[in-house]
């Protein structure tokens, strides 16, 4: 069947229009049309593609809607291993890192790029002639799962990258897929209403979603992504000289790159960046668990090399666990399957590290004694190992004079 000229014109126009609005909405955060107008465009596009399936193409915005079911994911070997970062926790460890970099780079000057460490899921994206061709999970670092169908539904991942002078025909982009804090709360609320799985935190929700075997379901979840590294193949004609330039190129190619980043000459400035964001993490729409510090020059990165697990040219600076203050309202005595009685604190609900917390574990009666807890106390809580919140300490200054001690039940509850 020959396809009428006007249909070809219409589909070309529709695709361009939809990708422009995708870019405005998902990358630039500045919507150009209403949701309804957008839906109408998409509906018409899918209508034409259903009528003329020969017009379907992998970079059509209609591919964002998903629908592909995969029995299992294929295993894919990474062209370049996906290393993880070694962690630092205190200033002194960053100074040690800097001393090692200084020693190993010899007498050369070097710069650091400081970024936020997004608490999500690492992914690798491959592009051929500008088209998104393969998306892989980190897996064990050597090989991961082919989750291309799922990643196509993530609107902030360009199906077609903008190409220009100097960009090789094939390249790889690495980044973090994550869910914003408010989107996560809404998503869990929706899950609760329909009796679906409730997720512990945004990272867990992003990881669980990427493993779904139905990309149509993935399309309905609010995944987004920040790109944090551009990789050229060894066979490319030109070489990327600096990580910072790579981030700028990614931005120009239409990827979402976190604007919170900086390039510094000295480790002291890097430390100031870390301290600043450790204090301001609450102000972000997404969760971070630290900062990442990378030597900027790719030549120097290669010179520094890597150990079996992590590169010597980069390091993570992990922030301390988030803490908030709330009120201890009452204590429940829970009887477990083995008959052991565990006290559980009921708290005034507060938002902490990705979810609303209204209960905390108290372990046992000794713990209540040790922490000197009274009913109505203001307490500091944090998430232990990310999941179950625990009470760190009591804010004694705020205790009411006649506060009641917590007493265990006399008989078995
Ligand atoms: S660079 C070899 N930059 O943190 C360097 N990683 O162990 C590779 N992450 O799971 C990572 N934000 O996915 C880098 N701005 C950022 C990051 C980042 C989050 C994750 C990464 C990996 C872990 C590092």
């Amino acid at each position: 069947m020959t396809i009428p000229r006007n249909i070809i014109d219409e589909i070309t126009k529709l695709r361009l229009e939809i990708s422009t609005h995708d870019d405005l909405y998902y990358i630039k955060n500045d919507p150009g049309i209403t949701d309804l107008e957008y839906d109408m465009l998409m509906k018409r596009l899918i209508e034409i593609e259903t009528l003329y399936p020969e017009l379907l193409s992998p970079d059509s915005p209609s591919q964002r809607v998903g629908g592909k079911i995969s029995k299992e994911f294929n295993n894919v070997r990474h062209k370049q291993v996906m290393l993880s970062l070694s962690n630092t926790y205190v200033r002194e460890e960053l100074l040690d890192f800097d001393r090692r970099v200084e020693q190993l780079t010899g007498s050369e000057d070097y710069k650091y790029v400081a970024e936020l460490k997004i608490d999500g899921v690492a992914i690798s994206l491959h592009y051929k002639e500008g088209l998104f061709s393969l998306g892989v999970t980190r897996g064990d670092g050597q090989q991961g799962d082919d989750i291309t169908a799922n990643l196509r539904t993530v609107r902030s991942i360009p199906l077609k990258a903008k190409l220009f002078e100097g960009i090789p025909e094939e390249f790889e982009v690495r980044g973090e897929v994550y869910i914003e804090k408010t989107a996560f709360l809404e998503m869990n609320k929706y899950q609760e209403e329909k009796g679906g799985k409730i997720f512990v935190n945004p990272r867990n929700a992003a990881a669980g979603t990427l493993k779904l075997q139905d990309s149509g379901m993935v399309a309905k979840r609010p995944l987004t992504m920040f790109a944090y590294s551009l990789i050229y193949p060894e066979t490319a004609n030109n070489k990327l000289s600096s990580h910072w330039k790579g981030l700028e190129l990614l931005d120009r190619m239409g990827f979402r790159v976190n604007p919170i980043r900086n390039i510094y000459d000295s480790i002291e400035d890097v430390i100031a960046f870390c301290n600043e964001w450790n204090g301001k993490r609450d102000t972000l729409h997404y969760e971070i668990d630290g900062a990442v510090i990378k030597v900027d020059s790719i030549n120097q990165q290669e010179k520094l090399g890597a150990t079996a697990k992590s590169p010597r040219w980069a390091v993570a600076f992990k922030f301390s666990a988030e803490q908030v203050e709330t009120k201890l309202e009452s204590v429940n005595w829970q009887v477990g399957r083995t008959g052991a009685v565990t006290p559980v604190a009921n708290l005034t609900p507060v938002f902490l590290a990705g979810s609303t917390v209204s209960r905390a574990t108290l372990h046992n009666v000794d713990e209540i004694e040790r922490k000197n807890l009274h009913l109505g106390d203001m307490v500091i809580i944090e998430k232990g190992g990310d999941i179950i919140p625990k009470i760190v300490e009591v804010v004694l200054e705020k205790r009411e004079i006649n506060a009641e001690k917590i007493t265990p039940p006399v008989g078995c509850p």
Side-chain angles (χ1 to χ4, degrees):
M1 181 171 38
T2 49
I3 300 159
R5 183 73 238 170
N6 63 324
I7 289 289
I8 299 193
D9 289 347
E10 188 183 356
I11 205 168
T12 314
K13 193 165 156 266
L14 274 170
R15 284 177 178 166
L16 186 69
E17 225 177 321
I18 297 175
S19 1
T20 308
H21 288 300
D22 275 346
D23 187 60
L24 284 172
Y25 189 97
Y26 294 102
I27 311 270
K28 308 227 163 65
N29 238 329
D30 180 20
I33 51 173
T34 65
D35 289 0
L36 182 69
E37 285 165 326
Y38 179 90
D39 291 345
M40 298 302 284
L41 294 174
M42 186 65 96
K43 202 170 147 227
R44 177 66 186 145
L45 174 61
I46 293 174
E47 205 170 84
I48 302 180
E49 286 176 347
T50 315
L51 235 55
Y52 304 97
E54 53 276 59
L55 288 179
L56 261 174
S57 79
D59 62 322
S60 171
S62 64
Q63 300 308 297
R64 303 280 199 199
V65 186
K68 209 174 154 214
I69 310 281
S70 45
K71 281 233 176 62
E72 56 190 36
F73 300 119
N74 284 327
N75 233 267
V76 182
R77 181 158 287 278
H78 294 297
K79 290 216 174 88
Q80 201 179 83
V81 283
M82 281 182 92
L83 296 166
S84 58
L85 296 169
S86 55
N87 291 330
T88 59
Y89 297 89
V90 290
R91 173 191 157 81
E92 202 41 57
E93 290 172 320
L94 283 179
L95 294 175
D96 286 345
F97 166 74
D98 181 52
R99 271 190 288 273
R100 283 194 302 274
V101 170
E102 189 178 3
Q103 263 171 20
L104 292 166
T105 45
S107 55
E108 296 169 19
D109 284 341
Y110 53 88
K111 286 192 167 116
Y112 289 119
V113 175
E115 296 163 33
L116 297 181
K117 188 166 184 295
I118 311 300
D119 201 4
V121 182
I123 49 145
S124 148
L125 309 171
H126 293 262
Y127 285 77
K128 279 187 184 157
E129 281 158 12
L131 294 187
F132 174 46
S133 60
L134 175 70
V136 191
T137 61
R138 178 172 179 274
D140 64 3
Q142 305 284 340
Q143 46 188 30
D145 289 337
D146 174 350
I147 52 162
T148 314
N150 286 351
L151 290 175
R152 267 191 212 293
T153 70
V154 179
R155 309 288 171 129
S156 47
I157 296 180
L159 295 177
K160 194 176 184 174
K162 291 180 202 116
L163 296 182
F164 38 85
E165 187 72 33
I167 306 290
E169 275 186 7
E170 290 187 20
F171 59 85
E172 184 185 339
V173 177
R174 290 186 180 172
E176 198 85 352
V177 166
Y178 67 96
I179 296 177
E180 290 197 347
K181 292 178 192 171
T182 44
F184 167 74
L185 292 179
E186 277 168 28
M187 168 181 158
N188 253 357
K189 211 172 114 203
Y190 174 77
Q191 292 287 103
E192 198 178 335
E193 277 162 16
K194 64 161 204 177
K197 185 177 162 64
I198 306 289
F199 293 99
V200 190
N201 57 39
R203 174 167 38 77
N204 192 279
T209 302
L210 286 178
K211 289 208 187 90
L212 290 174
Q213 245 98 33
D214 175 356
S215 63
M217 263 171 88
V218 180
K220 296 199 181 96
R221 301 269 180 89
L223 296 175
T224 185
M225 135 151 179
F226 273 135
Y228 58 62
S229 142
L230 174 61
I231 301 171
Y232 288 179
E234 270 168 31
T235 51
N237 291 335
N238 43 348
K239 225 185 130 185
L240 195 61
S241 61
S242 108
H243 172 64
W244 184 259
K245 277 195 194 135
L247 295 177
E248 286 180 335
L249 287 176
L250 283 171
D251 184 46
R252 280 178 63 197
M253 285 195 270
F255 291 87
R256 247 179 110 236
V257 182
N258 196 337
I260 302 175
R261 58 177 191 268
N262 235 318
I263 180 156
Y264 297 112
D265 289 324
S266 89
I267 195 72
E268 287 301 339
D269 291 341
V270 169
I271 293 171
F273 175 94
C274 294
N275 289 336
E276 179 187 348
W277 286 103
N278 188 11
K280 286 205 305 207
R281 61 200 285 202
D282 278 355
T283 64
L284 299 167
H285 293 133
Y286 46 86
E287 298 213 318
I288 57 173
D289 59 344
V292 182
I293 298 107
K294 304 170 186 173
V295 170
D296 181 49
S297 146
I298 309 284
N299 267 335
Q300 287 174 337
Q301 288 184 4
E302 284 166 2
K303 199 164 162 182
L304 286 156
T307 65
K309 275 198 204 132
S310 50
R312 286 194 202 87
W313 47 266
V315 77
F317 180 78
K318 298 274 269 191
F319 295 158
S320 40
E322 252 182 275
Q323 297 187 333
V324 280
E325 191 179 307
T326 187
K327 189 173 176 176
L328 170 59
E329 297 193 344
S330 61
V331 173
N332 281 357
W333 299 89
Q334 270 180 5
V335 187
R337 256 184 310 141
T338 57
V341 178
T342 312
V344 176
N346 295 313
L347 310 163
T348 305
V350 275
F351 192 80
L352 171 67
S355 60
T356 304
V357 169
S358 53
R359 282 148 73 80
T361 169
L362 288 168
H363 304 289
N364 49 45
V365 182
D366 288 352
E367 178 87 357
I368 297 178
E369 285 285 320
R370 197 166 36 233
K371 295 211 167 116
N372 178 20
L373 294 174
H374 285 54
L375 288 176
D377 272 348
M378 293 309 290
V379 291
I380 306 287
I381 61 168
E382 69 176 36
K383 288 192 180 168
D386 293 12
I387 304 177
I388 305 164
K390 60 176 187 208
I391 294 180
V392 183
E393 60 182 358
V394 177
V395 188
L396 274 178
E397 312 88 80
K398 294 193 182 166
R399 175 172 294 163
E400 302 279 338
I401 312 166
N402 50 4
E404 212 181 300
K405 264 192 92 108
I406 296 166
T407 42
V410 188
C412 174

